Amino acid sequence: MKYVRNQRRSGATVDLIPMIDVVFQLILFFLVSTTFSVLPGISLNLPTSQTAQSEAAGSITITMKDDGSLFYNSETVDLALLDARLADFDAVEYEKRLEYPVTLQADSLVTNGAIVGIFDVLRKNGFSAVNLRTNINE
C-alpha cells in the first residue's frame, strides 16, 4: 500500500479585505470633511474695489450681465418681472424689507442707467439694504 501524504503548499497570500476597508474609511472621511461651495452659474466680470468688505449674502441676488440679461437669483427676468417678483416677496413683513439684504452683482460693462433702474425697482418695493458685489483688489 502506497502512502500518499497530503502536502500543503506554503505560499504567502495577501488578504486585501482589510486594505479595502481602510481605503473606504479614508474616502468617507474626506467626503464628510470636504466643504462644497455653491458658486453662481452666471459668469461675470465684476468691477474691482480696494475698499470692498465681505458681506453675508442675502437670499435675494440680482445679477445683470453685460448683454443686458437680468436674473432674479437664477431665474431670467426683465425689469417688469423683477418688479412683480419683489412685490410678491412675502418672507418678511413690508416694514422689515428696509433691512432685508439684497445683493446686486453687475458686470463691469453694465451702464449706470441700468443699475439705477434696478435700484428704482428695489426702492419701489421697499428694499433699501443693497450690497454691491465686487472683486477685492489686493
Side-chain angles (χ1 to χ4, degrees):
M1 182 159 152
K2 191 175 180 186
Y3 179 67
V4 179
R5 199 172 157 180
N6 192 5
Q7 293 181 346
R8 288 188 176 182
R9 293 187 182 196
S10 65
T13 61
V14 177
D15 191 12
L16 293 178
I17 292 175
M19 185 180 71
I20 292 172
D21 289 340
V22 169
V23 170
F24 182 68
Q25 292 295 325
L26 284 173
I27 290 172
L28 283 178
F29 171 76
F30 286 117
L31 282 176
V32 170
S33 65
T34 303
T35 58
F36 295 100
S37 62
V38 179
L39 300 175
I42 305 166
S43 61
L44 295 174
N45 182 19
L46 294 173
T48 58
S49 172
Q50 294 180 355
T51 59
Q53 296 178 354
S54 177
E55 293 288 331
S59 64
I60 296 178
T61 302
I62 299 172
T63 306
M64 183 167 239
K65 292 177 69 173
D66 59 348
D67 61 359
S69 55
L70 186 63
F71 298 90
Y72 174 80
N73 292 335
S74 61
E75 176 188 2
T76 304
V77 295
D78 58 359
L79 278 178
L81 188 56
L82 176 65
D83 188 19
R85 291 285 186 264
L86 292 174
D88 290 340
F89 185 75
D90 60 353
V92 292
E93 299 167 10
Y94 187 79
E95 293 81 24
K96 293 184 181 179
R97 288 185 185 187
L98 292 173
E99 300 169 5
Y100 195 82
V102 177
T103 302
L104 176 60
Q105 52 189 15
D107 195 274
S108 61
L109 299 176
V110 173
T111 63
N112 189 32
I115 293 174
V116 169
I118 295 171
F119 271 106
D120 285 342
V121 170
L122 286 168
R123 272 190 238 120
K124 175 182 162 189
N125 289 291
F127 295 95
S128 64
V130 180
N131 299 313
L132 296 175
R133 185 163 174 235
T134 61
N135 285 331
I136 298 174
N137 188 12
E138 297 182 49

